[in-house]
Amino acid sequence: MATTTLKGTPFDRQVLDSMLRRRLFYTPSFEIYNGTAGLYDYGPPGCALQANIIDLWRKHFVLEEDMLEVDCTALTPAEILKTSGHVDKFADWMCKDPKNGDIIRADHFVEEILESRLKGDKAARGVTVAAKEEDPKKKKKKTKGIAEAVKLEDAVVKEYEEVLAKIDNYNGEELGELIKKYELKNPATDVQPEPPVAFNLMFQTAIGPSSNAPGYLRPETAQGQFVNFAKLLEFNQQQMPFASASIGKSFRNEISPRSGLLRVREFLMAEIEHFVDPEGGKKHPRFHEVADIELVLLNKHTQLSGKTDLDKVTIGKAVADGTVDNETLGYFLARIHLFLKKIGVDQSKIRFRQHMANEMAHYAADCWDAELQTSYGWIECVGCADRSAYDLTVHAKKTGAPLFVRERLDKPITIEEWQIDLDKKKFGPFFKKDGKTIETAIEALSQEKREALAQDLKADGKITVDVEGVGNGKVEVSKDLIAIERRTRTENTREYTPNVIEPSFGIGRILYCLFEHNYWTRGSDGGDEARGVLSFPPTVAPTKVLLVPLSSNESFKPLVKDMSLKLRALGISSRVDDSSASIGKRYSRNDELGTPLGITIDFQSVKDKTFTLRDRDSTKQVRADEDSIFAAIRSLVDGSKVWADIEKELPVFEGQDLEAELPWSSTRDMVIYTDRILCAMPRHKEKFIAPAPKGLVHSMLRSTARRVGEL
């Protein structure tokens, strides 16, 4: 499906990208040194937009849900990420071209070539295909030899479509089989790449000058929240459930960074860890508030059948029929949807896709991605996973830290279990420096394992325990050091390890999607050049108000300064454009920056302290006194009102009798003022200087001519 702008016209990514870089929303890092792939800097409007998104995120989640925000270090000792599984499993599959040495991400390689063959099939059948926009620097290389108009058998088309629907579900071996089966070759060399191998995506480093303490730049913010769980629980007065939140930079050494801000090596994340009692079905006390919200879902069963059909259902129904695993997960999916809507995501370009088996970690109960449609296809911007109790469990097992919840029971319960007694006087001296590590491993044994070891101890007089990092990983413990017996105890408290629901937001990806979803052009009729507009909601727009003095007349300066100071005092960002360009041009270049509102200071303002307020999207204006204008701006910026509400409340401005109202102070002011209005009109001014002396322009011209004649 061809990508369109906000107004439904054909979308040109190169034009948008040029505008974003020209207006310094973002730029490649170290560009004067030819840059480094996957690294970008944000300029002033990009920083402001990102800051506003984060501010709204904090209000929507941290404030609304009483979350506990933490800021943890990005530099992480290797032991933590080894325990969490990142050292062994945080990898993508890559292939190497044996001819030129290119490193290719395997799933993207398969996806791109099969998609190109399907486009070639459509072209051969006479079906019009919208060309997929590529990075101009890579276009020739990527499309060479793979976009020919070749008709495929119907069965082959169906097979390709099924493979693409399941592309995220294949492991390395399966991707290698697909490459061989379909004879996929690197279009740059016409050579088939080598079999896929795993590539760990973390940046490794050393902590300290001795290099004896290996570390990594964190690939996510989550681990800092997990290792601080016990402290957060205590801070929360032992109350469950609760959530922590963290916003910070993460780092991933991407195999082939591409697609601008969508696949980078350093990026901002906002992550939530919601800790919940696993008993009782993971209910959420506020689920009823969102149960009727409709979401567009692509479930795993549809994908595994080779289809991409979407279902629009309420989250209440999706949880009730088991499509979404539990209420807490469903609650956050709905809250994610509301947040994305609030910041300006096009509601026709969003879906929630469920992870298939190979995508999901073995410990996860369910996982969904909020995907946004762009000119690059569907892009994962928010992940929402039920991580079960995995992270807290592995960290507790490794360290012996009490990463669990203890709560008092209303009624005592009797528990029959296998208990372990260690002879501490003998155990420590026998195992020496490894004693604590072995003791921690023994204490972490499950009831099933304890029962089996009790039988071994009785039969053999010793047991063998798996202890990572000690000897060959197996440790023998004799019966004179340990006893394992089945006992009954009465408990007045219950201990459990919470499960975790984790919404994880990629802020850079969301930010780029907002660019595409809010971009459109106007002014392309009648030969005029199309002018770009970014229709960000006022709540997240980088700058909220543009102050535009009509000219450089000295009488405007005190008003501009006063309004600028008052807007700052209200916490509303503004810019002054007092350049010599026409008013139309000044507004147009700030429309490119997404500035939603504009205040014009003119001679009428000097006379009676009234001002015009302009809406970016409709270009309509209202005129009122300063207090009314500020009240309107506040309500638009905080999202409590939209422009249609303001038009109903304040007088619409359509012009005025300048001859009667404006206190001309000089011939220069008259000429400037007339020129400002004419420059704001389309280029062909003669269309507006018609014989019939009607309208604002004619009135101004007559007035100017008369006064110049008098002078």
Side-chain angles (χ1 to χ4, degrees), residues 286-305:
R286 297 181 61 183
F287 183 71
H288 65 279
E289 298 176 19
V290 302
D292 293 331
I293 292 175
E294 288 188 326
L295 303 182
V296 176
L297 304 181
L298 174 58
N299 64 57
K300 59 187 177 185
H301 303 296
T302 299
Q303 296 171 77
L304 289 171
S305 68

Side-chain angles (χ1 to χ4, degrees), residues 18 30 289 325 443 502 591 691:
S18 175
F30 318 113
E289 298 176 19
D325 188 71
E443 294 292 346
E502 180 192 68
D591 290 345

Side-chain angles (χ1 to χ4, degrees), residues 74-108:
L75 186 57
T76 308
E79 187 177 20
I80 285 82
L81 294 167
K82 176 70 172 177
T83 301
S84 67
H86 286 82
V87 171
D88 297 323
K89 299 179 181 178
F90 195 72
D92 278 338
W93 296 100
M94 70 174 187
C95 301
K96 183 178 181 180
D97 187 303
K99 186 173 182 179
N100 65 4
D102 274 358
I103 301 299
I104 306 165
R105 182 164 156 175
D107 57 339
H108 291 171

Side-chain angles (χ1 to χ4, degrees), residues 549-554 556 579-583 586 603 658 662 664-680 700 704 708:
L550 194 63
S551 72
S552 59
N553 189 287
E554 289 295 322
F556 297 151
S579 66
S580 61
S582 70
I583 284 186
R586 283 186 273 171
F603 290 105
L658 299 176
L662 296 180
W664 302 105
S665 59
S666 68
T667 304
R668 181 175 179 275
D669 280 341
M670 288 187 285
V671 175
I672 287 174
Y673 201 85
T674 304
D675 183 61
R676 294 297 177 269
I677 298 299
L678 288 173
C679 287
M700 290 182 61
T704 303
V708 171

Side-chain angles (χ1 to χ4, degrees), residues 316-328:
K317 182 178 183 299
V319 171
D321 64 20
T323 302
V324 175
D325 188 71
N326 57 75
E327 280 189 9
T328 300

